[in-house]
Amino acid sequence: MLRTFVRETFTDPTSTAATKQDLAALYGSQPIPQPPEHAWGFLGNIPDIDPEAISASYGKLVDLYGPIFKLNFLNKDLIIISNQELINEVSDESRFTKALGVLKEVRLAIGDGLITAYTDEHNWKLAHKLLMASFGPMAIRSMFPQMLDITSQLIQKLERMGPGYAFDAAEIFTRLSLDVIALTGFDYRFNSFYRDESHPFVSSLMGMLTEASQRSRRSKLGNTIRLWAWHNFQQNTKIMHRICDEIIEDRRKNPKDVNDFLNVMLNARDKETGEGLSEENIRFNVETLLAAGHETTSGLLSFTFWLLLKHPDKMQKAITEVDTVIGEDQIRIQHLPKLKYIDAVLKESMRVHPPAAQVAMQPKSGRGVIGGIYPYSSSDIFILNLIGLHRDPTVWGDDAAAFRPERMLDGGFESLPPNSWRPFGGGLRACIGRDFAMQEALTAMALILQRYQVELADPFYELKISQTVTQKPDGLLLKVKARTGRQAESVGASRVSASSAPLRQMEAMAPQAVPSFQLISHLTPITILYGSNSGTCKLFAEDIRAAAPSFGFGAEQIETLDSATEKLPYDRRPVIIITSSYEGRPTDDAKKFVSWLEAAVGDTERLKGVRYTVLGLGNKDWVGTYQRTPKLIDSIMDHLGAFRFAPFGRVDVGGDVYGDVEEWSQGVWNALKGSGADQLELEPLEIETKISDRPHSMGEKGMTLGTILENREISSNEAGYAKKHIEIALPKGMTYSSGDYVTVLPTNNRTTIRRILNRFSLPTDASIILKNSKKSFLPNGRPEYAYSLLAHYVELNTPISRKQFATLVELAEDEAEKHEMERLAASAFEAEVLGTRTSVIDVLEAFPSCSPSFATYIDMLLPLKVRQYSISSSALAAKGGNIASITYDVLAAPSLTNGNRAFLGVASNYLSNLQPGDRIHCFVRVTNSNFHLPSDPTVPIIMIAAGTGIAPMRGLIQERAAIALAGGKAVGKAVFYFGCRHPKKDYLYRSDFVAWEKFGVVVMRPCFSRLPEESCGYKYVPERLWAEREELRDMFDAGAKIFLCGSAGKLAKSTGEICEKMYMESQGATLEQARKWLEKQKVDRYVTDIFD
């Protein structure tokens, strides 16, 4: 009753209440939440929105304030709404109509075209009426040959450039969609695939849209004084006008009997009035269709391939559907309606990443109320936040943030509530070209998937979004490899049509792919594949490649497993696979490969002719998932008919990693003995040494520079290692979610470097040149400081392997030393060498008569690896969202090999010495284990951690606190079990958690091993979990999600056992049943961040 009364009162034009606040007080309605304004109100909420990341800014505010909030922009109120209930109400065209928003600035360039016109404008009504038939289903079907023509040009370009060609997805799909709309709508060829640069129309359009977007956020004065920006805007507009005028003039001079958009605009007349479009409006609508017709589709295709590459099981389903429906035939229009899964993929892609992420609406008249309680005035502008709409859990479920095309199938799409899915708008102003865009996208998807395996050029790329009026992935580089037996002219890509014959000469002149590496001709080829998140498996693959010529084999390069999807060699060449698991799942660069194998199960002849062997890396402490992915690959390949030429290898990263790898690789070469070419005598590594003053530092692919803001100690070494908190201003455009990681590239400790330089009698400013190195991570053939080489390129503290130790034994000149080294190698290597983490330099110092050359020493070393740290902050609580903190132990302890010397952890001591203002190589790595808060903040959470495992938990609670503080959303119960030694010595961030507990966002359950009387008598977390199991069981039954961060062999193992025990007690289950239950929960309700 109250809502009805308030609605009627607010919509009553005779109401005399002066303000919304007055009405809210009078009728009990609720004011719309609003973030605090800045600079005493002078700036309003302008600083709350990043102009280069508008959608991300809205997303952060939605997380804090809920589905409706207000922003003050230059004394103009914007009301942002983000759920289906509110957006459905504002979609009522009897009460609301389209507002131009940023399109008001675009209108300065393309006038009253279909998109930029007001709904009540005569020209919009006329153009919409005349063009509707041209966008009807049969008219769109008739455009398929032209769509196929242009898409074939894309295929031919990729064919010319070859498998090593990395292309920008948004850029190449922009070329595709521009040429498609030009040819189908105006019978005009831009020939974008035969240009090095983008067509002038595209560059001018992008310049115009960028400035229009910026103008919409400036004050009137700000736009007035930016004369140069306005000049560029006008120049871009003139170029667009000129190109469109040329298209129109060409048609007038050379009339064509075609039923395209241009002929309709030039010749169609209103049947009732006889009126046609004006010359100016024809130009505006040609520009509109060229602009809108390519912007949406290019974004859609780019986002779709990104999503499929991140979900290889979905990619495999799409490929399977293409193979089933089309096979190797040339694609026909009749095929498209049968591609139901790809249609669902496209719809789901537009749900997750709508190319136009915001739509503006405004009241038609008067004041009113939405949602029954929120007042608005006639001057307010509503921004429909489609990303929030498309992730509304009341419509899309608890997995609303997940990419799941299956939700669009079997009537799921048709049964959606009204205005739940709006990438093409809705109502009278819905996109007129929706069917056109979907047919174009389906055609392109089908052709590309039929012909190619698509992969990321950079496996570590994380999505960045570029946003003007629409949004697209920024910097998304893709590569393609032809699927086995698929030639461009033999499958769906049609031959160049007669109408494009003049292009053949241009095609012949186009650049061709050039091989980047020539394999030594007399070596027998092998294929080396790896799956790696941290880089360990990749470095072992590099070692195998470097050693191969010594046994008569050669590999042009090492490749990811994903790159071998459908590309395994059937010519009996050996395939060597080195991979690991990540939380029991494939690594990021092996997901597609594993999905392909799984999809082929049942076809026992599929891999006949393939010869392979697999080496798996894992941690034995993580019993449930140890070697899961390597064993899965090995068993499926065997099932599919491949021949295992060498036994499956297992390496425990907690043991003699390098020795085990060397032993396995020797077995591989023994198995291949006699099948390779003559062994190649490799020239020994040589080093020229000279003094030089040229400094050098090395970066890491995928990394950019962050800035240290703060680096402080939060716990001394009174209770274990000292612990520090460091804050990093991430590079622009780099974002994160709570639960993600910051990966850093460290520098080796100067003390260790000096030990090595002294051992080899080298000055710090010695410049060296490496020759004949087969290790790609070393700076081969160019001058490099010896100090820089040791600091930036190689691991110095890695334990020596058996093979390396045996090499040094042979070099020992002193008999007593040699005898002792032989004893260690024979009977005490595990305990006295590996057990003390003895490095190569440790051995050289302990046995001075052992004198390898500096070249031999360098050749023994592994590449310096990046280190990964859990983020201990929330982007919601950081201004701008790009400040991340990490929490780390400073590893400094007496060396196990020499008690008079300290053992210093490489990365922790590097970080510890950084000062505010220092720059650091870093990037954000998204968690691969669903270690993120539930999208619904009311879902309860249970957190379990010890020591620096507190890091991600701090980020999770900081996020919940930020949401609660904003007041727009309620938050659910959170209980945190934290283990440490002492309440005053290593209870990390205690003041933060005490404050958050008082605020009501967390309940702390500490366990102090040295002072249990201060933690209700509990020394360790597992015993407290068991004691309080009834409360935890109730929380879990209420939907709680469990987060755990700690060591694999201690906290993770013991907590898992407690959970199994709790399940056995409550369900009367066996241990085996409890283990299966726990494994099932690990998909989304029991998530872990494990370290060794």
Side-chain angles (χ1 to χ4, degrees):
M1 293 293 294
L2 173 62
R3 290 193 173 197
T4 303
F5 178 61
V6 171
R7 181 190 299 276
E8 291 173 351
T9 304
F10 271 114
T11 53
D12 178 7
T14 65
S15 175
T16 58
T19 65
K20 295 176 197 175
Q21 288 77 11
D22 293 336
L23 290 167
L26 182 60
Y27 299 112
S29 67
Q30 182 173 323
I32 297 173
Q34 179 180 1
E37 297 188 11
H38 298 263
W40 301 280
F42 291 110
L43 294 179
N45 295 113
I46 291 176
D48 292 312
I49 303 298
D50 181 350
E52 296 183 11
I54 297 172
S55 295
S57 299
Y58 283 160
K60 178 179 177 180
L61 293 172
V62 169
D63 288 340
L64 288 171
Y65 296 98
I68 181 170
F69 56 89
K70 181 172 64 176
L71 299 176
N72 184 325
F73 272 81
L74 306 172
N75 296 318
K76 179 189 298 181
D77 282 347
L78 301 181
I79 300 175
I80 289 76
I81 52 177
S82 304
N83 68 6
Q84 187 270 340
E85 179 186 3
L86 295 173
I87 287 178
N88 184 52
E89 183 174 348
V90 175
S91 299
D92 179 357
E93 291 179 307
S94 68
R95 297 172 57 198
F96 302 91
T97 188
K98 175 177 177 176
L100 293 188
V102 64
L103 294 177
K104 188 174 182 179
E105 303 298 332
V106 178
R107 182 182 169 100
L108 297 174
I110 59 176
D112 55 0
L114 281 171
I115 292 178
T116 49
Y118 293 101
T119 306
D120 58 359
E121 281 189 291
H122 176 73
N123 278 349
W124 178 82
K125 295 177 181 178
L126 180 60
H128 189 263
K129 184 176 183 179
L130 295 179
L131 283 166
M132 274 297 291
S134 299
F135 285 94
M138 297 310 297
I140 299 301
R141 282 175 63 90
S142 71
M143 298 174 185
F144 178 75
Q146 295 98 316
M147 291 182 178
L148 185 60
D149 182 329
I150 299 300
T151 311
S152 298
Q153 291 184 28
L154 165 63
I155 298 296
Q156 289 156 3
K157 179 178 178 67
L158 297 177
E159 192 76 18
R160 291 194 305 269
M161 302 312 295
Y165 175 56
F167 58 89
D168 186 287
E171 194 272 341
I172 205 163
F173 290 134
T174 293
R175 292 176 184 244
L176 170 71
S177 49
L178 176 70
D179 281 23
V180 166
I181 185 65
L183 184 61
T184 56
F186 310 103
D187 199 33
Y188 189 87
R189 290 185 179 273
F190 279 120
N191 296 331
S192 297
F193 290 114
Y194 302 94
R195 296 175 176 270
D196 291 331
E197 303 296 330
S198 297
H199 192 279
F201 182 85
V202 174
S203 54
S204 297
L205 172 66
M206 294 311 299
M208 183 273 289
L209 291 177
T210 299
E211 174 59 17
S213 181
Q214 293 171 351
R215 286 179 61 85
S216 70
R217 294 187 295 273
R218 297 189 198 122
S219 66
K220 185 175 181 180
L221 176 61
N223 282 326
T224 300
I225 64 176
R226 284 174 169 80
L227 297 179
W228 185 249
W230 176 242
H231 171 76
N232 288 338
F233 183 89
Q234 290 179 308
Q235 290 301 114
N236 286 324
T237 300
K238 287 179 181 178
I239 293 171
M240 293 167 56
H241 286 346
R242 176 179 56 78
I243 293 170
C244 291
D245 289 345
E246 289 174 357
I247 293 173
I248 296 168
E249 183 61 25
D250 179 70
R251 178 62 60 87
R252 290 192 185 281
K253 290 181 178 178
N254 303 285
K256 297 179 180 179
D257 186 18
V258 292
N259 187 29
D260 62 8
F261 305 148
L262 185 54
N263 266 2
V264 171
M265 286 190 274
L266 290 173
N267 304 315
R269 297 293 181 268
D270 186 340
K271 292 180 179 179
E272 296 178 1
T273 66
E275 183 182 9
L277 299 181
S278 67
E279 291 296 314
E280 182 182 54
N281 192 250
I282 292 172
R283 173 209 273 174
F284 288 154
N285 277 304
V286 170
E287 291 173 330
T288 296
L289 294 178
L290 285 174
H294 87 271
E295 274 288 288
T296 300
T297 311
S298 60
L300 167 59
L301 288 170
S302 301
F303 281 125
T304 299
F305 275 105
W306 158 254
L307 289 165
L308 288 176
L309 288 167
K310 298 303 286 185
H311 299 83
D313 56 325
K314 315 301 184 191
M315 173 75 87
Q316 189 59 47
K317 285 184 179 180
I319 292 172
T320 300
E321 182 174 74
V322 170
D323 290 349
T324 302
V325 173
I326 306 174
E328 297 190 14
D329 295 340
Q330 182 168 310
I331 188 172
R332 301 186 302 277
I333 186 67
Q334 292 82 2
H335 289 132
L336 298 189
K338 300 176 182 179
L339 298 174
K340 297 186 182 301
Y341 188 76
I342 296 179
D343 178 78
V345 164
L346 291 169
K347 288 173 178 171
E348 177 74 345
S349 173
M350 285 187 282
R351 183 188 72 84
V352 177
H353 292 296
Q358 290 87 37
V359 175
M361 301 286 284
Q362 64 187 36
K364 282 191 169 181
S365 62
R367 293 170 297 190
V369 168
I370 63 167
I373 54 175
Y374 297 113
Y376 64 82
S377 71
S378 59
S379 61
D380 288 335
I381 299 294
F382 287 88
I383 302 297
L384 280 56
N385 175 27
L386 300 189
I387 295 178
L389 167 69
H390 290 169
R391 300 185 186 186
D392 183 348
T394 64
V395 175
W396 305 103
D398 293 336
D399 66 343
F403 175 68
R404 188 167 61 84
E406 290 77 8
R407 73 175 87 239
M408 301 293 182
L409 295 171
D410 301 323
F413 181 75
E414 292 76 11
S415 62
L416 288 172
N419 291 299
S420 299
W421 185 84
R422 285 188 48 128
F424 291 107
L428 190 61
R429 298 302 298 267
C431 175
I432 196 173
R434 169 178 171 168
D435 291 342
F436 180 96
M438 289 298 291
Q439 179 173 298
E440 177 187 0
L442 269 173
T443 303
M445 290 288 297
L447 277 176
I448 292 171
L449 295 179
Q450 184 192 39
R451 176 71 182 93
Y452 294 113
Q453 282 287 346
V454 185
E455 61 186 67
L456 291 170
D458 175 9
F460 297 107
Y461 170 83
E462 294 297 339
L463 182 64
K464 299 177 183 177
I465 294 178
S466 172
Q467 185 169 5
T468 53
V469 177
T470 59
Q471 57 179 16
K472 299 177 184 178
D474 183 21
L476 172 59
L477 300 181
L478 304 179
K479 293 195 297 186
V480 297
K481 291 184 178 179
R483 295 176 63 191
T484 303
R486 303 296 176 96
Q487 300 299 322
E489 293 186 354
S490 67
V491 295
S494 64
R495 298 175 183 272
V496 179
S497 64
S499 62
S500 57
L503 302 180
R504 290 184 179 133
Q505 184 178 4
M506 298 170 67
E507 180 182 342
M509 297 169 61
Q512 304 297 309
V514 179
S516 59
F517 181 90
Q518 292 294 327
L519 185 64
I520 301 173
S521 59
H522 63 274
L523 293 176
T524 300
I526 59 172
T527 297
I528 302 172
L529 306 171
Y530 67 89
S532 182
N533 273 1
S534 65
T536 302
C537 292
K538 182 179 180 181
L539 73 87
F540 286 130
E542 286 276 14
D543 281 350
I544 294 290
R545 177 176 178 267
S550 298
F551 300 92
F553 294 91
E556 292 186 5
Q557 57 188 353
I558 63 172
E559 297 274 6
T560 65
L561 279 165
D562 276 352
S563 71
T565 305
E566 290 193 336
K567 297 291 289 182
L568 287 173
Y570 290 83
D571 57 3
R572 299 190 61 77
R573 81 172 65 184
V575 178
I576 298 174
I577 296 172
I578 305 175
T579 189
S580 60
S581 296
Y582 185 88
E583 293 292 328
R585 293 183 289 275
T587 56
D588 291 345
D589 49 13
K591 291 179 179 179
K592 188 168 68 166
F593 180 81
V594 172
S595 293
W596 169 60
L597 290 181
E598 290 176 326
V601 168
D603 183 355
T604 57
E605 300 288 312
R606 181 67 172 268
L607 297 185
K608 189 174 182 179
V610 174
R611 302 172 67 214
Y612 78 100
T613 185
V614 177
L615 174 66
L617 275 73
N619 189 323
K620 278 186 177 178
D621 288 339
W622 203 228
V623 179
T625 59
Y626 179 60
Q627 298 288 350
R628 179 178 290 174
T629 298
K631 287 191 291 187
L632 178 67
I633 292 173
D634 179 70
S635 63
I636 295 181
M637 290 185 68
D638 177 65
H639 166 79
L640 297 179
F643 172 73
R644 186 189 299 110
F645 70 82
F648 176 80
R650 294 174 176 84
V651 174
D652 174 20
V653 297
D656 180 10
V657 180
Y658 306 102
D660 289 348
V661 173
E662 288 168 356
E663 182 179 347
W664 174 82
S665 60
Q666 189 60 52
V668 169
W669 300 128
N670 289 340
L672 294 173
K673 193 173 183 179
S675 61
D678 293 336
Q679 295 184 6
L680 178 66
E681 288 294 328
L682 297 178
E683 297 181 48
L685 178 69
E686 299 177 5
I687 293 181
E688 294 180 8
T689 304
K690 65 178 181 178
I691 305 300
S692 172
D693 60 354
R694 188 175 73 86
H696 179 76
S697 62
M698 187 192 80
E700 175 85 1
K701 184 178 179 181
M703 287 197 164
T704 47
L705 289 173
T707 303
I708 302 300
L709 300 178
E710 181 182 11
N711 195 1
R712 59 184 170 90
E713 187 174 85
I714 56 175
S715 174
S716 70
N717 58 6
E718 290 182 74
Y721 298 123
K723 296 169 177 62
K724 284 193 166 185
H725 168 94
I726 195 168
E727 292 188 1
I728 305 169
L730 299 173
K732 189 173 181 61
M734 187 178 290
T735 59
Y736 70 92
S737 298
S738 299
D740 289 343
Y741 305 102
V742 165
T743 301
V744 301
L745 180 67
T747 296
N748 280 310
N749 185 273
R750 65 179 65 186
T751 301
T752 307
I753 296 170
R754 284 172 177 160
R755 287 171 57 202
I756 297 166
L757 292 175
N758 291 341
R759 180 65 177 78
F760 290 98
S761 301
L762 289 171
T764 57
D765 62 350
S767 178
I768 63 175
I769 300 177
L770 285 78
K771 295 182 178 180
N772 305 324
S773 172
K774 298 299 183 291
K775 295 183 175 181
S776 61
F777 63 87
L778 291 174
N780 197 35
R782 58 181 173 85
E784 186 72 43
Y785 278 117
Y787 188 99
S788 178
L789 176 69
L790 295 170
H792 301 295
Y793 289 88
V794 288
E795 293 282 357
L796 305 180
N797 291 337
T798 302
I800 190 170
S801 71
R802 287 183 180 274
K803 185 176 180 181
Q804 291 170 341
F805 193 83
T807 300
L808 295 184
V809 171
E810 295 300 318
L811 295 175
E813 298 177 358
D814 182 89
E815 285 302 318
E817 290 184 2
K818 191 179 189 75
H819 179 74
E820 174 61 11
M821 293 179 76
E822 288 173 342
R823 181 192 71 82
L824 290 170
S827 61
F829 191 80
E830 291 281 344
E832 297 184 38
V833 179
L834 285 182
T836 58
R837 295 191 58 82
T838 301
S839 67
V840 177
I841 187 59
D842 290 334
V843 174
L844 295 180
E845 289 178 334
F847 301 99
S849 72
C850 184
S851 301
S853 68
F854 190 51
T856 300
Y857 173 72
I858 292 297
D859 209 27
M860 288 181 169
L861 303 181
L862 298 169
L864 185 64
K865 293 194 302 180
V866 297
R867 269 65 169 180
Q868 182 170 284
Y869 295 89
S870 296
I871 294 174
S872 58
S873 59
S874 166
L876 291 186
K879 291 183 178 179
N882 69 331
I883 297 174
S885 68
I886 59 177
T887 309
Y888 61 99
D889 288 312
V890 182
L891 178 53
S895 170
L896 297 177
T897 59
N898 184 341
N900 296 320
R901 185 178 63 243
F903 179 85
L904 303 175
V906 174
S908 64
N909 282 273
Y910 163 72
L911 292 172
S912 181
N913 290 312
L914 293 173
Q915 301 295 319
D918 287 349
R919 305 280 273 167
I920 180 175
H921 291 284
C922 64
F923 67 91
V924 169
R925 178 169 287 165
V926 177
T927 178
N928 196 30
S929 61
N930 197 24
F931 204 95
H932 289 146
L933 284 169
S935 57
D936 180 359
T938 64
V939 172
I941 58 175
I942 301 167
M943 297 167 291
I944 303 163
T948 53
I950 199 172
M953 310 307 179
R954 180 178 183 266
L956 300 180
I957 294 303
Q958 190 178 63
E959 182 153 320
R960 283 265 170 117
I963 293 170
L965 185 63
K969 292 182 177 180
V971 296
K973 182 178 180 180
V975 177
F976 183 15
Y977 290 85
F978 174 59
C980 62
R981 293 176 175 85
H982 196 281
K984 294 183 178 179
K985 295 180 179 180
D986 63 341
Y987 190 166
L988 306 181
Y989 302 110
R990 181 170 185 171
S991 60
D992 289 345
F993 284 106
V994 167
W996 289 329
E997 189 166 26
K998 288 181 179 179
F999 191 46
V1001 295
V1002 67
V1003 177
M1004 296 300 298
R1005 302 282 171 81
C1007 298
F1008 306 123
S1009 61
R1010 293 184 182 175
L1011 207 64
E1013 58 270 25
E1014 293 292 324
S1015 52
C1016 301
Y1018 301 109
K1019 293 182 67 175
Y1020 302 110
V1021 166
E1023 63 185 67
R1024 187 161 191 174
L1025 291 172
W1026 178 251
E1028 298 174 354
R1029 60 189 181 278
E1030 291 301 327
E1031 178 187 2
L1032 297 178
R1033 188 179 290 122
D1034 289 343
M1035 289 183 66
F1036 195 78
D1037 290 343
K1041 182 173 181 176
I1042 299 174
F1043 295 85
L1044 183 148
C1045 184
S1047 63
K1050 295 180 181 179
L1051 184 66
K1053 182 179 180 181
S1054 59
T1055 300
E1057 291 170 349
I1058 289 294
C1059 290
E1060 291 166 357
K1061 187 178 176 182
M1062 290 167 61
Y1063 184 78
M1064 292 166 64
E1065 179 189 62
S1066 65
Q1067 302 296 319
T1070 64
L1071 178 59
E1072 181 63 25
Q1073 290 171 331
R1075 286 175 175 170
K1076 289 182 178 179
W1077 168 82
L1078 186 59
E1079 283 300 308
K1080 185 177 180 181
Q1081 306 314 308
K1082 288 179 180 179
V1083 175
D1084 57 359
R1085 294 194 62 193
Y1086 182 98
V1087 293
T1088 58
D1089 184 355
I1090 302 304
F1091 51 83
D1092 301 321

